[in-house]
């Protein structure tokens, strides 16, 4: 049995010679021994020392052992309680155990070996109780911190837990935030969550999509204009900068903004001041900036689509939104949410997805991310009669052919010449194996994937079916090969 070090034992008996005998029997470097000659003295020790095990006599003047252990059970429930008794009648022992809520008992006279074994077993139990309590506390903390919904986000994957925590930490600050991620991953939702959880939540969140507004109108959209500033400017107009005063300005797809205007945005961020189009008057506002792009910012800088100084001014806090295919079971959870939403909207009754439809949702690569999934579910609700959404309905809406099923991989009908195949070592003999250049497993895997993509004409979903893996797995592996 494994020894447990540094634990405290309290021995309680009104007879000093018994305490001495018990102490001698348990003398060891691994234990700290405490003694008490009454129940009251024992409670005093417990109040001041971290006692792990109490061994007490049953019959003592004043407070009996049963009474002492009953108090300890209420006040120190994790302390292991052992009764020392001269009783031999079973009924009396059971009564003592029930009254004192004890873990076990020892009979007088005791054998020292039995005493030590009993104490060691009691301490092992103590450690198990401690581990159980730690696990319970960890589980409670995990459930408290692990969220399946956050603001308007849905998803319990680890990737989204990282996003939730980043938003939690970023929101209360005044720091600018730069959000990256593919289209359809929820960058605007992240900006909305940051604003809602910030001290600015009582003011407005103003959102500008830099990709949706012509460049010649963008400056006016952001800074406003005065009457007569340009043809059609018949009145003074407030821009997003004025409307967001005291709140948050979200510039989505900032990499699509004209470079000359980016210089003005940089000055606006640095000084908090701007001029309306056609005006020479400088105005000052208090705005927090949140920006987003679906591009790789460093690549956008290199391609002169994003000013480097503007990026570093905005990128105080960086949040990267994961693609839907990287979010474990989230696609199904999101699909169920939208199924309920659009069933109610379209006045239809659906109870869920078929098993194969669920697997398709989990295995599909979702290049359009959450936006694509939402549109798919809405379309499936409209085009299906229910009561369940089938795999066939989803495949039809995704324009997948029957032979592109993710669940019935076809036998490969094409072969590659052996000269192009990796040479796998024979196991006939050690000498033969030693003479063959063994191909690393990663290269064999890459060859198989590239071969499948070639056969499937770069159709990742179909290639994943042939390889019997999920498309999301294939997408991740392919992305790892791309130069950084």
């Amino acid at each position: 049995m494994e020894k447990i070090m540094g634990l405290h034992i309290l021995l309680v008996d009104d007879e000093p010679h018994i305490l001495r005998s018990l102490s001698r029997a348990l003398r060891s470097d691994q234990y700290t021994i405490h003694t008490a000659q009454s129940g009251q003295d024992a409670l005093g020790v417990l109040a001041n020392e971290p006692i792990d095990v109490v061994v007490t006599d049953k019959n003592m003047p004043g407070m009996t052992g049963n009474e002492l252990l009953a108090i300890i059970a209420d006040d120190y429930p994790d302390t292991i309680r052992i009764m020392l008794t001269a009783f031999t009648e079973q009924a009396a022992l059971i009564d003592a155990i029930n009254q004192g809520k004890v873990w076990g008992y020892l009979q007088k006279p005791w054998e020292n070996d039995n005493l030590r074994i009993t104490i060691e077993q009691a301490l092992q139990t103590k450690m198990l109780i401690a581990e159980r309590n730690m696990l319970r506390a960890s589980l409670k903390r995990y459930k408290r911190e692990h969220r399946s919904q956050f603001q308007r986000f849905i998803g319990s994957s680890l990737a989204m837990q990282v996003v939730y925590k980043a938003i939690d930490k970023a929101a209360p600050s005044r720091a600018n935030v730069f959000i990256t991620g593919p289209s359809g991953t929820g960058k605007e939702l992240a900006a909305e969550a940051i604003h809602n959880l910030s001290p600015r939540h009582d003011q407005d969140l103003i959102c500008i999509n830099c990709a949706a507004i012509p460049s010649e109108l963008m400056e006016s959209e952001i800074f406003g204009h005065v009457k007569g500033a340009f043809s059609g400017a018949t009145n003074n107009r407030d821009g997003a900068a004025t409307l967001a005063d005291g709140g948050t300005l979200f510039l989505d797809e900032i990499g699509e903004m004209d470079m000359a205007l980016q210089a003005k945005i940089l000055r606006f961020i640095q000084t908090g001041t701007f001029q309306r189009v056609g005006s020479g008057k400088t105005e000052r506002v208090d705005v927090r900036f949140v920006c987003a792009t679906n591009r790789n910012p460093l690549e956008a800088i290199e391609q002169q689509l994003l000013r480097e100084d503007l990026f570093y001014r905005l990128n105080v806090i960086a949040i990267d939104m994961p693609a839907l295919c990287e979010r474990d079971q989230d696609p199904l959870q999101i699909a169920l949410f939208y199924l309920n939403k659009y069933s109610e909207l379209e006045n239809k009754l659906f109870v869920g997805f078929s098993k194969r439809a669920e697997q398709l949702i989990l295995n599909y690569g979702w290049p359009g991310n959450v936006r694509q999934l939402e549109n798919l579910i809405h379309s499936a609700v409209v085009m299906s009669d229910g009561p369940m959404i089938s795999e066939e309905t989803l495949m039809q809406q995704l324009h997948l052919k029957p032979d592109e099923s993710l669940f019935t991989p076809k036998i490969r009908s094409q072969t590659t010449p052996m000269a192009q195949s990796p040479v796998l070592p024979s196991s006939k003999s050690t000498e033969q194996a030693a003479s063959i250049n063994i191909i690393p497993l990663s290269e064999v895997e890459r060859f198989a994937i590239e071969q499948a993509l070639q056969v499937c004409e770069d159709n990742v979903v179909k290639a994943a079916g042939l390889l019997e893996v999920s498309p999301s797995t294939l997408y991740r592996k392919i992305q790892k090969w791309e130069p950084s």
Side-chain angles (χ1 to χ4, degrees):
M1 184 180 298
E2 182 182 355
K3 296 294 183 182
I4 303 175
M5 308 298 291
L7 298 174
H8 293 250
I9 301 173
L10 172 60
L11 307 173
V12 187
D13 200 295
D14 60 316
E15 298 184 39
H17 71 278
I18 292 180
L19 287 179
R20 288 194 295 271
S21 297
L22 289 169
S23 298
R24 281 196 301 271
L26 296 174
R27 186 177 296 134
S28 169
D29 292 338
Q30 69 188 100
Y31 304 142
T32 299
I33 304 298
H34 305 267
T35 60
Q37 291 186 244
S38 69
Q40 288 296 339
D41 289 346
L43 293 177
V45 174
L46 282 158
N48 294 288
E49 300 291 343
I51 301 302
D52 297 293
V53 178
V54 173
V55 181
T56 181
D57 188 23
K58 179 180 184 302
N59 291 324
M60 295 184 296
M63 184 184 298
T64 67
N66 279 351
E67 293 170 340
L68 171 62
L69 294 183
I71 293 173
I72 294 173
D74 291 335
D75 295 346
Y76 308 95
D78 290 340
T79 300
I80 300 296
R81 300 170 295 280
I82 297 176
M83 179 74 74
L84 190 63
T85 177
F87 279 102
T88 56
E89 295 181 6
Q90 186 175 11
L93 286 173
I94 292 174
D95 181 62
I97 289 173
N98 290 336
Q99 288 185 30
K101 303 178 183 178
V102 303
W103 176 82
Y105 69 93
L106 285 166
Q107 279 193 301
K108 294 180 179 179
W110 67 85
E111 293 184 4
N112 286 344
D113 287 343
N114 288 340
L115 172 64
R116 285 189 287 268
I117 290 172
T118 301
I119 293 295
E120 190 63 35
Q121 290 174 338
L123 290 171
Q124 292 286 348
T125 301
K126 168 72 176 180
M127 296 303 294
L128 290 174
I129 291 173
E131 290 176 4
R132 181 193 63 190
N133 290 340
M134 288 177 63
L135 287 172
R136 285 179 175 173
S138 297
L139 183 60
K140 286 181 180 178
R141 185 169 61 252
Y142 173 81
K143 288 181 177 179
R144 184 172 63 250
E145 297 177 355
H146 194 88
R147 293 166 283 192
S148 60
Q149 290 187 316
F150 176 79
Q151 292 291 301
R152 291 208 295 140
F153 283 109
I154 297 170
S156 56
S157 64
L158 180 59
M160 291 307 295
Q161 302 305 312
V162 173
V163 171
Y164 300 159
K165 288 182 180 179
I167 292 174
D168 271 335
K169 291 182 179 296
S173 76
R174 296 179 60 87
N176 298 329
V177 181
F178 200 96
I179 305 169
T180 56
S183 296
T185 53
K187 296 188 290 296
E188 187 169 345
L189 287 184
E192 180 184 308
I194 291 168
H195 175 76
N196 290 340
L197 295 173
S198 76
R200 299 169 177 264
H201 66 272
D202 290 333
Q203 303 300 319
D204 289 333
L205 166 67
I206 305 299
C207 302
I208 296 288
N209 187 334
C210 301
I213 300 173
S215 58
E216 60 270 17
L217 299 179
M218 180 61 72
E219 184 174 357
S220 174
E221 285 292 324
I222 295 176
F223 297 127
H225 61 257
V226 297
K227 181 179 179 180
F230 50 83
S231 177
T234 57
N235 295 293
N236 292 342
R237 181 177 183 275
D238 290 338
T242 302
L243 298 174
D245 188 16
T248 304
L249 177 59
F250 175 53
L251 299 176
D252 195 9
E253 303 303 347
I254 193 169
E256 307 301 321
M257 182 184 290
D258 181 77
M259 292 291 280
L261 183 54
Q262 288 187 30
K264 294 183 180 181
I265 295 292
L266 175 62
R267 178 170 175 78
F268 177 31
I269 295 171
Q270 290 173 329
T271 65
T273 63
F274 66 94
Q275 292 180 344
R276 298 178 187 231
V277 177
S279 172
K281 180 183 177 181
T282 298
E283 300 182 36
R284 180 177 293 275
V285 292
D286 174 22
V287 171
R288 184 188 189 177
F289 294 90
V290 179
C291 296
T293 180
N294 61 6
R295 299 178 181 271
N296 181 316
L298 300 182
E299 290 180 1
I301 292 170
E302 185 177 343
Q303 296 166 8
Q304 297 187 340
L305 297 172
L306 177 64
R307 288 180 62 105
E308 185 174 12
D309 48 2
L310 175 60
F311 170 66
Y312 288 115
R313 176 65 68 171
L314 292 170
N315 193 44
V316 179
I317 298 175
I319 297 177
D320 184 47
M321 301 299 299
L324 185 57
C325 64
E326 298 172 352
R327 291 176 53 178
D328 300 328
Q329 300 292 311
D330 286 358
L332 183 56
Q333 186 179 351
I334 295 169
L336 289 168
F337 170 82
Y338 285 125
L339 180 64
N340 292 331
K341 173 182 175 178
Y342 289 114
S343 295
E344 183 176 351
L345 183 66
E346 301 293 344
N347 196 27
K348 288 191 172 185
L349 178 63
F350 287 91
V351 297
F353 299 93
S354 70
K355 288 296 183 182
R356 291 173 65 85
E358 288 182 354
Q359 287 302 312
L360 188 150
I361 291 169
L362 291 173
N363 290 347
Y364 187 66
W366 301 113
N369 295 292
V370 178
R371 189 178 294 122
Q372 180 190 10
L373 176 58
E374 178 182 1
N375 292 339
L376 170 71
I377 300 305
H378 193 177
S379 175
V381 167
V382 172
M383 301 305 294
S384 179
D385 296 325
M388 300 187 75
I389 300 292
S390 68
E391 175 200 11
E392 289 74 21
T393 299
L394 296 183
M395 290 185 67
Q396 183 179 7
Q397 301 306 312
L398 288 169
H399 304 292
L400 295 176
K401 298 177 182 178
D403 62 351
E404 292 178 320
S405 171
L406 305 182
F407 318 104
T408 54
K410 293 173 62 180
I411 302 298
R412 300 183 188 182
S413 57
Q414 300 183 34
T415 59
T416 303
M418 289 298 295
Q420 299 179 11
S421 302
V423 179
L424 302 179
S426 169
S427 59
K428 292 182 179 179
S429 69
T430 305
E431 293 179 359
Q432 287 178 320
S435 66
I436 296 176
N437 182 23
I438 298 177
I439 305 298
L441 184 59
S442 59
E443 293 185 19
V444 175
E445 179 184 67
R446 180 165 182 169
F447 172 86
I449 292 173
E450 290 176 342
Q451 183 188 45
L453 289 171
Q454 182 181 4
V455 168
C456 298
E457 298 179 345
D458 292 327
N459 186 318
V460 175
V461 174
K462 189 174 180 180
L466 292 176
L467 294 168
E468 301 184 29
V469 298
S470 71
S472 60
T473 299
L474 213 53
Y475 280 116
R476 285 196 295 271
K477 292 183 179 296
I478 293 170
Q479 287 172 357
K480 288 180 181 178
W481 301 337
E482 296 177 354
S484 57

